[in-house]
Amino acid sequence: MEKNTFLILENFIGGKFVPCPAHIDSYDPSTGEVYCKVPDSGEEEVDAAVQAAKEAFPGWSARSPDQRAQVLNKLADLIEGHLEEFAQAESRDQGKTVTFARTVDIPRSAYNFRFFASSVLHHTTDCHQMDHVGCLNYTVRCPVGVAGLISPWNLPLYLLTWKIAPAIAAGNTVVAKPSEMSSVTAWMMCKLMQEAGVPSGVVNIVFGLGSRAGDALVGHPEVPLISFTGSTATARHITERSAPYCKKLSLELGGKNPALVFADADLDRCIETTVRSSFSNQGEICLCTSRIYVERSIYATFLEKFVAAARKWKTGVPSDPCNKNGALISKEHLEKVRSFVALAKSEGATVHCGEGINHPDLPKRNINGYFMAATVISGVADSSRVMQDEIFGPVTCVSPFDGEDEAVAKANGVRYGLAATVWSRDVGKVHRVARRLQTGLVWTNCWLVRDLNLPFGGMKNSGVGREGGRDSYHFFTEVKTVTIQH
């Protein structure tokens, strides 16, 4: 791309691209250079999008689930037809490797539409007879109206479609705000809407900052429900802003996810998977493992093997298929992640590899990119901020434990409760530990195996509500009980 030639995005409102008078700079994380201008939307743009969604709601909600499903499937076809184009754009915009975008982000984005197109056809309602009073009760589920959807920067199209698909499958219309740091693939998807048969106003996308566009959306009186994925701090603000309107909220928030490795674990399989669960997508996945507790009898062996495996997890230019990790999302985020490693060192912890030890080998044009090698730390106290706060980068801490009770206590000893992994061949132990862990998801001897039918979400500060086949359908609809006396 020539110097000073930027990609300029526009909002998508009422089926049309609408220019915005002000813009935000968006950076290519692999070079540290501005390459894109994102609309800096505010109340005016959000209100226009809400009005377009309101106008489209009666017609769209009146369609049968099957008619809506056909549109979702067509949109999935079109995303798959442009898979390589989307993968390249996602990598450049977010910093992830092209390989990860090509094999994870974009296929899953298309599958989200296919999954909800299918699942919406199979939901059933309840019926209950009261013969003693001559009554029949049944339930119906109705779409709510205009859904406000706010998605994060780490899996941009993947998590945006995870919200849009169930919302429109259930008959709602939407106003979505992607992260201002990774907006390009959302804008590209808007170009496919008309061809897919999405009526004008059913999907509206407004780009901008959370403090302006996001705030206007969550505080809009005609948006009855908000689905948000992001930080716990932002979720608190959303809860306060939406409280006067009694909005329905689904909040998928941070994690500080533990792995519990027992002495009877299949160590080779465990290390291979735990390296992936710790560092995939630069550690920028809410489900990544950031605390690894290992039974003391195998702790030294595990640590040695894990560090050796982490050193082989190559970080570098996102377009190189040999690289497992690309760049972190922004300069500010890289500095934040680095500050946690510095804090650990200042507290006497040992950094075994990664930050400050082995540096990514980068060509000249990427020297200012936001790269950080996979980092393994040991000797961190459980009370340290390094063990308590979400870092959201390629950093994981390894610590020993003695016995099942201590393992569970350490795992539960944070304010988050999103996911955990348990490594053991003992079936009884696996069930006992899974029951005691305060997390919404527990994987045993695996990681990130997802059945989209099943609930997804966390406990404690990791969120409110669940997403998935039935759960998303319930969130994006209101249930009505009808009683008929005959």
Side-chain angles (χ1 to χ4, degrees):
M1 192 173 279
E2 293 171 29
K3 218 171 180 134
N4 300 326
T5 303
F6 302 111
L7 188 60
I8 299 174
L9 308 190
E10 294 177 319
N11 290 321
F12 187 69
I13 298 171
K16 296 184 180 124
F17 285 102
V18 182
C20 190
H23 292 87
I24 304 156
D25 288 341
S26 183
Y27 293 79
D28 178 338
S30 73
T31 64
E33 293 170 0
V34 176
Y35 91 104
C36 176
K37 300 281 188 179
V38 176
D40 185 9
S41 306
E43 284 186 17
E44 190 179 325
E45 291 82 4
V46 168
D47 188 58
V50 171
Q51 297 315 315
K54 267 188 74 182
E55 285 173 29
F57 176 70
W60 181 247
S61 59
R63 292 197 185 192
S64 70
D66 186 58
Q67 288 170 326
R68 295 195 294 262
Q70 287 173 25
V71 175
L72 269 71
N73 279 315
K74 178 64 173 167
L75 194 48
D77 290 342
L78 291 168
I79 291 170
E80 285 173 345
H82 294 83
L83 190 147
E84 187 60 24
E85 190 184 331
F86 272 101
Q88 294 287 342
E90 200 74 294
S91 169
R92 182 165 194 197
D93 202 25
Q94 200 272 337
K96 66 179 78 240
T97 64
V98 174
T99 303
F100 196 88
R102 188 186 287 135
T103 57
V104 178
D105 289 69
I106 309 308
R108 172 62 189 272
S109 300
Y111 183 66
N112 284 339
F113 284 112
R114 288 206 196 290
F115 173 79
F116 286 107
S118 170
S119 71
V120 78
L121 304 178
H122 304 291
H123 295 298
T124 56
T125 51
D126 299 319
C127 179
H128 183 68
Q129 290 169 254
M130 297 174 69
D131 292 338
H132 59 291
V133 289
C135 281
L136 178 72
N137 304 292
Y138 65 92
T139 61
V140 290
R141 284 201 165 266
C142 315
V144 182
V146 180
L149 313 176
I150 301 174
S151 57
W153 49 256
N154 60 325
L155 301 163
L157 194 64
Y158 175 139
L159 291 175
L160 179 65
T161 55
W162 177 238
K163 296 181 184 303
I164 290 176
I168 65 173
N172 301 281
T173 54
V174 306
V175 177
K177 191 204 85 68
S179 168
E180 71 280 4
M181 291 192 280
S182 54
S183 297
V184 173
T185 49
W187 172 75
M188 287 169 63
M189 183 176 67
C190 294
K191 295 180 180 182
L192 307 176
M193 290 290 169
Q194 190 174 0
E195 191 181 346
V198 179
S200 298
V202 170
V203 175
N204 305 274
I205 299 193
V206 177
F207 301 98
L209 297 166
S211 57
R212 275 174 40 77
D215 189 68
L217 183 56
V218 300
H220 200 291
E222 294 177 288
V223 178
L225 85 177
I226 300 290
S227 174
F228 168 79
T229 300
S231 74
T232 303
T234 304
R236 287 195 193 101
H237 178 73
I238 289 172
T239 305
E240 289 165 9
R241 279 290 274 132
S242 60
Y245 306 101
C246 299
K247 299 189 183 210
K248 284 183 86 173
L249 295 180
S250 175
L251 306 171
E252 200 275 284
L253 312 177
K256 190 70 179 171
N257 310 306
L260 304 183
V261 183
F262 289 93
D264 62 348
D266 179 339
L267 213 52
D268 291 340
R269 188 169 148 211
C270 169
I271 285 166
E272 182 189 353
T273 302
T274 306
V275 166
R276 189 166 56 86
S277 73
S278 299
F279 306 123
S280 281
N281 201 51
Q282 304 77 243
E284 295 170 329
I285 302 177
C286 59
L287 299 163
C288 274
T289 303
S290 57
R291 299 178 293 142
I292 305 169
Y293 297 110
V294 186
E295 198 155 8
R296 196 175 297 277
S297 61
I298 60 162
Y299 175 73
T301 306
F302 176 92
L303 186 60
E304 183 185 345
K305 288 188 172 187
F306 185 75
V307 170
R311 284 179 180 274
K312 291 177 185 168
W313 189 267
K314 206 174 164 199
T315 299
V317 180
S319 57
D320 186 342
C322 295
N323 292 331
K324 297 281 194 181
N325 274 1
L328 274 71
I329 185 68
S330 69
K331 186 180 179 184
E332 294 76 15
H333 187 59
L334 175 62
E335 286 169 357
K336 176 196 148 189
V337 176
R338 280 179 170 160
S339 75
F340 277 101
V341 182
L343 175 62
K345 285 169 83 171
S346 75
E347 293 175 346
T350 303
V351 179
H352 296 269
C353 62
E355 178 61 19
I357 296 174
N358 42 306
H359 304 281
D361 185 18
L362 300 167
K364 191 175 178 184
R365 80 176 293 265
N366 299 98
I367 215 77
N368 294 319
Y370 316 132
F371 295 91
M372 181 175 176
T375 302
V376 181
I377 308 175
S378 68
V380 183
D382 287 336
S383 58
S384 168
R385 277 186 52 232
V386 182
M387 277 292 211
Q388 292 292 322
D389 293 356
E390 184 177 42
I391 298 173
F392 215 62
V395 178
T396 195
C397 299
V398 189
S399 183
F401 70 82
D402 295 293
E404 210 174 293
D405 289 344
E406 188 184 2
V408 171
K410 283 177 178 284
N412 289 343
V414 296
R415 65 183 184 274
Y416 296 103
L418 184 54
T421 53
V422 179
W423 290 90
S424 172
R425 288 184 172 101
D426 182 333
V427 175
K429 184 189 293 176
V430 162
H431 287 298
R432 283 195 308 274
V433 171
R435 183 176 287 274
R436 294 172 69 190
L437 288 171
Q438 295 165 353
T439 60
L441 303 117
V442 180
W443 281 291
T444 300
N445 302 327
C446 63
W447 177 70
L448 209 57
V449 177
R450 283 280 294 122
D451 179 345
L452 301 194
N453 282 297
L454 298 179
F456 176 91
M459 300 180 182
K460 301 193 284 190
N461 277 22
S462 286
V464 174
R466 293 291 184 271
E467 298 171 311
R470 186 187 300 122
D471 298 85
S472 293
Y473 181 68
H474 284 181
F475 176 70
F476 285 113
T477 55
E478 289 285 16
V479 68
K480 182 185 298 182
T481 300
V482 181
T483 300
I484 299 169
Q485 190 165 45
H486 53 85

PDB file of all heavy atoms in Angstrom, residues 22-40:
ATOM      1  N   ALA A  22     -15.816  12.235  11.092  1.00  0.00           N
ATOM      2  CA  ALA A  22     -14.592  12.098  11.889  1.00  0.00           C
ATOM      3  C   ALA A  22     -14.139  10.643  11.912  1.00  0.00           C
ATOM      4  O   ALA A  22     -14.959   9.721  11.804  1.00  0.00           O
ATOM      5  CB  ALA A  22     -14.853  12.584  13.311  1.00  0.00           C
ATOM      6  N   HIS A  23     -12.828  10.449  12.038  1.00  0.00           N
ATOM      7  CA  HIS A  23     -12.270   9.092  11.990  1.00  0.00           C
ATOM      8  C   HIS A  23     -11.245   8.850  13.097  1.00  0.00           C
ATOM      9  O   HIS A  23     -10.680   9.788  13.656  1.00  0.00           O
ATOM     10  CB  HIS A  23     -11.613   8.836  10.626  1.00  0.00           C
ATOM     11  CG  HIS A  23     -12.587   8.779   9.495  1.00  0.00           C
ATOM     12  ND1 HIS A  23     -12.998   9.905   8.811  1.00  0.00           N
ATOM     13  CD2 HIS A  23     -13.267   7.732   8.943  1.00  0.00           C
ATOM     14  CE1 HIS A  23     -13.879   9.562   7.897  1.00  0.00           C
ATOM     15  NE2 HIS A  23     -14.059   8.254   7.954  1.00  0.00           N
ATOM     16  N   ILE A  24     -11.023   7.558  13.370  1.00  0.00           N
ATOM     17  CA  ILE A  24     -10.025   7.099  14.339  1.00  0.00           C
ATOM     18  C   ILE A  24      -8.955   6.352  13.546  1.00  0.00           C
ATOM     19  O   ILE A  24      -9.272   5.587  12.632  1.00  0.00           O
ATOM     20  CB  ILE A  24     -10.672   6.116  15.351  1.00  0.00           C
ATOM     21  CG1 ILE A  24     -11.877   6.752  16.039  1.00  0.00           C
ATOM     22  CG2 ILE A  24      -9.664   5.622  16.374  1.00  0.00           C
ATOM     23  CD1 ILE A  24     -12.867   5.729  16.577  1.00  0.00           C
ATOM     24  N   ASP A  25      -7.698   6.539  13.926  1.00  0.00           N
ATOM     25  CA  ASP A  25      -6.616   5.794  13.285  1.00  0.00           C
ATOM     26  C   ASP A  25      -6.625   4.345  13.751  1.00  0.00           C
ATOM     27  O   ASP A  25      -6.771   4.064  14.937  1.00  0.00           O
ATOM     28  CB  ASP A  25      -5.251   6.400  13.652  1.00  0.00           C
ATOM     29  CG  ASP A  25      -5.000   7.734  12.967  1.00  0.00           C
ATOM     30  OD1 ASP A  25      -5.681   8.024  11.961  1.00  0.00           O
ATOM     31  OD2 ASP A  25      -4.122   8.489  13.439  1.00  0.00           O
ATOM     32  N   SER A  26      -6.471   3.429  12.789  1.00  0.00           N
ATOM     33  CA  SER A  26      -6.346   2.012  13.119  1.00  0.00           C
ATOM     34  C   SER A  26      -4.992   1.529  12.599  1.00  0.00           C
ATOM     35  O   SER A  26      -4.607   1.839  11.479  1.00  0.00           O
ATOM     36  CB  SER A  26      -7.487   1.214  12.475  1.00  0.00           C
ATOM     37  OG  SER A  26      -7.414  -0.148  12.849  1.00  0.00           O
ATOM     38  N   TYR A  27      -4.275   0.773  13.432  1.00  0.00           N
ATOM     39  CA  TYR A  27      -2.902   0.402  13.143  1.00  0.00           C
ATOM     40  C   TYR A  27      -2.779  -1.033  12.657  1.00  0.00           C
ATOM     41  O   TYR A  27      -3.555  -1.908  13.044  1.00  0.00           O
ATOM     42  CB  TYR A  27      -2.036   0.574  14.399  1.00  0.00           C
ATOM     43  CG  TYR A  27      -1.872   2.006  14.833  1.00  0.00           C
ATOM     44  CD1 TYR A  27      -2.887   2.653  15.549  1.00  0.00           C
ATOM     45  CD2 TYR A  27      -0.728   2.725  14.521  1.00  0.00           C
ATOM     46  CE1 TYR A  27      -2.748   3.986  15.942  1.00  0.00           C
ATOM     47  CE2 TYR A  27      -0.580   4.056  14.910  1.00  0.00           C
ATOM     48  CZ  TYR A  27      -1.597   4.681  15.618  1.00  0.00           C
ATOM     49  OH  TYR A  27      -1.467   5.993  16.000  1.00  0.00           O
ATOM     50  N   ASP A  28      -1.780  -1.265  11.813  1.00  0.00           N
ATOM     51  CA  ASP A  28      -1.364  -2.617  11.467  1.00  0.00           C
ATOM     52  C   ASP A  28      -0.427  -3.059  12.595  1.00  0.00           C
ATOM     53  O   ASP A  28       0.682  -2.538  12.716  1.00  0.00           O
ATOM     54  CB  ASP A  28      -0.632  -2.592  10.121  1.00  0.00           C
ATOM     55  CG  ASP A  28      -0.106  -3.968   9.706  1.00  0.00           C
ATOM     56  OD1 ASP A  28       0.071  -4.836  10.577  1.00  0.00           O
ATOM     57  OD2 ASP A  28       0.153  -4.161   8.502  1.00  0.00           O
ATOM     58  N   PRO A  29      -0.848  -4.001  13.450  1.00  0.00           N
ATOM     59  CA  PRO A  29      -0.031  -4.357  14.615  1.00  0.00           C
ATOM     60  C   PRO A  29       1.343  -4.930  14.252  1.00  0.00           C
ATOM     61  O   PRO A  29       2.270  -4.865  15.053  1.00  0.00           O
ATOM     62  CB  PRO A  29      -0.874  -5.409  15.342  1.00  0.00           C
ATOM     63  CG  PRO A  29      -2.274  -5.179  14.863  1.00  0.00           C
ATOM     64  CD  PRO A  29      -2.127  -4.737  13.443  1.00  0.00           C
ATOM     65  N   SER A  30       1.472  -5.469  13.048  1.00  0.00           N
ATOM     66  CA  SER A  30       2.750  -6.091  12.669  1.00  0.00           C
ATOM     67  C   SER A  30       3.791  -5.071  12.225  1.00  0.00           C
ATOM     68  O   SER A  30       4.976  -5.391  12.136  1.00  0.00           O
ATOM     69  CB  SER A  30       2.532  -7.138  11.568  1.00  0.00           C
ATOM     70  OG  SER A  30       2.258  -6.508  10.330  1.00  0.00           O
ATOM     71  N   THR A  31       3.358  -3.829  11.935  1.00  0.00           N
ATOM     72  CA  THR A  31       4.304  -2.786  11.522  1.00  0.00           C
ATOM     73  C   THR A  31       4.277  -1.561  12.439  1.00  0.00           C
ATOM     74  O   THR A  31       5.210  -0.757  12.440  1.00  0.00           O
ATOM     75  CB  THR A  31       4.002  -2.298  10.085  1.00  0.00           C
ATOM     76  OG1 THR A  31       2.706  -1.688  10.063  1.00  0.00           O
ATOM     77  CG2 THR A  31       4.064  -3.447   9.083  1.00  0.00           C
ATOM     78  N   GLY A  32       3.174  -1.392  13.186  1.00  0.00           N
ATOM     79  CA  GLY A  32       3.022  -0.214  14.035  1.00  0.00           C
ATOM     80  C   GLY A  32       2.624   1.026  13.264  1.00  0.00           C
ATOM     81  O   GLY A  32       2.688   2.140  13.786  1.00  0.00           O
ATOM     82  N   GLU A  33       2.177   0.845  12.002  1.00  0.00           N
ATOM     83  CA  GLU A  33       1.806   1.993  11.159  1.00  0.00           C
ATOM     84  C   GLU A  33       0.291   2.066  10.968  1.00  0.00           C
ATOM     85  O   GLU A  33      -0.391   1.042  10.894  1.00  0.00           O
ATOM     86  CB  GLU A  33       2.482   1.880   9.793  1.00  0.00           C
ATOM     87  CG  GLU A  33       3.994   2.011   9.859  1.00  0.00           C
ATOM     88  CD  GLU A  33       4.673   1.649   8.539  1.00  0.00           C
ATOM     89  OE1 GLU A  33       3.947   1.303   7.575  1.00  0.00           O
ATOM     90  OE2 GLU A  33       5.918   1.694   8.491  1.00  0.00           O
ATOM     91  N   VAL A  34      -0.218   3.304  10.855  1.00  0.00           N
ATOM     92  CA  VAL A  34      -1.636   3.511  10.554  1.00  0.00           C
ATOM     93  C   VAL A  34      -1.911   3.025   9.133  1.00  0.00           C
ATOM     94  O   VAL A  34      -1.173   3.346   8.213  1.00  0.00           O
ATOM     95  CB  VAL A  34      -2.014   5.007  10.670  1.00  0.00           C
ATOM     96  CG1 VAL A  34      -3.471   5.227  10.252  1.00  0.00           C
ATOM     97  CG2 VAL A  34      -1.788   5.521  12.088  1.00  0.00           C
ATOM     98  N   TYR A  35      -2.960   2.215   8.972  1.00  0.00           N
ATOM     99  CA  TYR A  35      -3.303   1.784   7.615  1.00  0.00           C
ATOM    100  C   TYR A  35      -4.788   1.942   7.312  1.00  0.00           C
ATOM    101  O   TYR A  35      -5.238   1.741   6.198  1.00  0.00           O
ATOM    102  CB  TYR A  35      -2.857   0.336   7.392  1.00  0.00           C
ATOM    103  CG  TYR A  35      -3.882  -0.723   7.727  1.00  0.00           C
ATOM    104  CD1 TYR A  35      -4.591  -1.397   6.737  1.00  0.00           C
ATOM    105  CD2 TYR A  35      -4.165  -1.059   9.055  1.00  0.00           C
ATOM    106  CE1 TYR A  35      -5.526  -2.364   7.037  1.00  0.00           C
ATOM    107  CE2 TYR A  35      -5.091  -2.021   9.371  1.00  0.00           C
ATOM    108  CZ  TYR A  35      -5.772  -2.680   8.359  1.00  0.00           C
ATOM    109  OH  TYR A  35      -6.704  -3.631   8.654  1.00  0.00           O
ATOM    110  N   CYS A  36      -5.558   2.331   8.326  1.00  0.00           N
ATOM    111  CA  CYS A  36      -7.011   2.345   8.165  1.00  0.00           C
ATOM    112  C   CYS A  36      -7.610   3.471   8.999  1.00  0.00           C
ATOM    113  O   CYS A  36      -7.100   3.798  10.078  1.00  0.00           O
ATOM    114  CB  CYS A  36      -7.539   0.989   8.625  1.00  0.00           C
ATOM    115  SG  CYS A  36      -9.315   0.815   8.611  1.00  0.00           S
ATOM    116  N   LYS A  37      -8.688   4.081   8.469  1.00  0.00           N
ATOM    117  CA  LYS A  37      -9.422   5.120   9.194  1.00  0.00           C
ATOM    118  C   LYS A  37     -10.812   4.581   9.499  1.00  0.00           C
ATOM    119  O   LYS A  37     -11.555   4.200   8.582  1.00  0.00           O
ATOM    120  CB  LYS A  37      -9.542   6.384   8.336  1.00  0.00           C
ATOM    121  CG  LYS A  37      -8.184   6.992   7.943  1.00  0.00           C
ATOM    122  CD  LYS A  37      -7.585   7.785   9.075  1.00  0.00           C
ATOM    123  CE  LYS A  37      -6.350   8.553   8.631  1.00  0.00           C
ATOM    124  NZ  LYS A  37      -5.771   9.350   9.708  1.00  0.00           N
ATOM    125  N   VAL A  38     -11.145   4.536  10.787  1.00  0.00           N
ATOM    126  CA  VAL A  38     -12.418   3.960  11.250  1.00  0.00           C
ATOM    127  C   VAL A  38     -13.343   5.097  11.682  1.00  0.00           C
ATOM    128  O   VAL A  38     -12.903   6.027  12.357  1.00  0.00           O
ATOM    129  CB  VAL A  38     -12.155   3.002  12.442  1.00  0.00           C
ATOM    130  CG1 VAL A  38     -13.448   2.456  13.010  1.00  0.00           C
ATOM    131  CG2 VAL A  38     -11.234   1.862  12.008  1.00  0.00           C
ATOM    132  N   PRO A  39     -14.631   5.062  11.291  1.00  0.00           N
ATOM    133  CA  PRO A  39     -15.563   6.120  11.706  1.00  0.00           C
ATOM    134  C   PRO A  39     -15.565   6.330  13.222  1.00  0.00           C
ATOM    135  O   PRO A  39     -15.561   5.359  13.986  1.00  0.00           O
ATOM    136  CB  PRO A  39     -16.924   5.598  11.237  1.00  0.00           C
ATOM    137  CG  PRO A  39     -16.601   4.738  10.063  1.00  0.00           C
ATOM    138  CD  PRO A  39     -15.294   4.079  10.407  1.00  0.00           C
ATOM    139  N   ASP A  40     -15.558   7.592  13.625  1.00  0.00           N
ATOM    140  CA  ASP A  40     -15.655   7.954  15.046  1.00  0.00           C
ATOM    141  C   ASP A  40     -17.108   8.347  15.309  1.00  0.00           C
ATOM    142  O   ASP A  40     -17.443   9.513  15.457  1.00  0.00           O
ATOM    143  CB  ASP A  40     -14.700   9.119  15.341  1.00  0.00           C
ATOM    144  CG  ASP A  40     -14.661   9.468  16.828  1.00  0.00           C
ATOM    145  OD1 ASP A  40     -15.237   8.708  17.633  1.00  0.00           O
ATOM    146  OD2 ASP A  40     -14.059  10.500  17.175  1.00  0.00           O
TER     147      ASP A  40
END
